[in-house]
Amino acid sequence: MIRKILPSKSLVYHSFLTKEELLERLRDAIETERLHDLNSRNKMESKPYFGEIQNSLFKIRRVIDYRNSFLPQINGEIIEDENGTKIKVEMKLISFVKFFMIIWFSFCAFFGLILLVLIFDNDSKSSSGFSILIPIFMLIFATFLVSSGFESESEKSIKDLEEILQAKLIV
C-alpha cells in the first residue's frame, strides 16, 4: 500500500540519436553535484540538471531556485537497439523523503488505530468520535502534498528530457 501512496514513474523514451550523441547531450545539460551550489550560482548561468553519468547510466535532479522536497530523483539507462536508442527512466522520491513519509503514514495509522480503540472502549461516546478524523485528515493531506509536489516537478522533467534527448516518450 505504501508503494501506491508514494509516487514514482517508470518511463521509456525513444531517440534516433546514437548512445554517444545522447551521452554528449546529457553531459551538456548536467553539472556535477560538487559544482552545484544554489547560493553562489545564478540559475540562468547553470545547467538545468545536476548529477552524474557513469557509462550508459545517469542519476540526475533538476536545478531549481526554490525548495521542493518532492523533486524527483531521475535514474536512467541508455540502451541502443536496431531502431535507434531507448532511454529507460525512473523518477522517484529521494530516500530521505521516502523514509520520512513512511514514518508519517505509520504514525497516522497507529494514532488512528489507538483513537478507534479508545472510541469503542469509551462508554460515554462523547465528541471523541470526531478525533478519528484527525489522522485521516493527516493521511489525506500528506498524500495530496507528496503527489502534487512530485507530479508538478516530474511533468517538467518529462518535457525537459524529451528536449534534451531529442526523444519521444513511448511508455
Side-chain angles (χ1 to χ4, degrees), residues 6 11 13 16 19-21 30-31 39 54 56 59 66 69 100 112 133 143 155-156 158-159 170:
L6 296 176
L11 310 167
Y13 291 90
F16 290 108
K19 180 178 173 180
E20 290 74 27
E21 290 172 321
I30 298 170
E31 61 182 289
N39 295 329
Q54 293 180 349
S56 61
K59 185 176 181 179
Y66 52 91
S69 297
F100 179 80
L133 295 177
T143 303
E155 289 301 318
K156 294 172 188 173
I158 289 170
K159 289 178 179 138
I170 56 174

Side-chain angles (χ1 to χ4, degrees), residues 10-128:
S10 293
L11 310 167
V12 178
Y13 291 90
H14 179 266
S15 177
F16 290 108
L17 299 176
T18 66
K19 180 178 173 180
E20 290 74 27
E21 290 172 321
L22 289 171
L23 288 170
E24 187 60 35
R25 291 184 67 78
L26 277 172
R27 281 186 202 97
D28 290 342
I30 298 170
E31 61 182 289
T32 60
E33 288 189 57
R34 63 192 128 98
L35 295 176
H36 176 71
D37 182 5
L38 285 176
N39 295 329
S40 66
R41 306 250 341 208
N42 183 342
K43 187 177 184 217
M44 299 304 290
E45 296 173 5
S46 69
K47 296 180 180 183
Y49 286 84
F50 66 95
E52 60 186 355
I53 302 171
Q54 293 180 349
N55 301 320
S56 61
L57 303 174
F58 59 93
K59 185 176 181 179
I60 59 175
R61 291 181 73 194
R62 206 161 63 80
V63 173
I64 57 175
D65 58 356
Y66 52 91
R67 287 226 181 257
N68 185 344
S69 297
F70 311 114
L71 184 69
Q73 173 68 51
I74 303 168
N75 298 326
E77 180 179 12
I78 300 171
I79 305 163
E80 284 187 312
D81 65 10
E82 64 277 353
N83 298 324
T85 310
K86 285 186 182 176
I87 305 99
K88 293 183 179 180
V89 172
E90 185 175 347
M91 295 184 185
K92 57 186 179 177
L93 295 171
I94 61 172
S95 298
F96 176 76
V97 173
K98 277 187 199 176
F99 177 74
F100 179 80
M101 294 313 299
I102 288 169
I103 298 297
W104 179 274
F105 292 137
S106 300
F107 171 77
C108 291
F110 180 72
F111 184 58
L113 287 174
I114 289 175
L115 286 175
L116 201 55
V117 167
L118 289 175
I119 289 169
F120 284 115
D121 281 349
N122 188 358
D123 291 334
S124 66
K125 304 282 188 212
S126 63
S127 64
S128 64

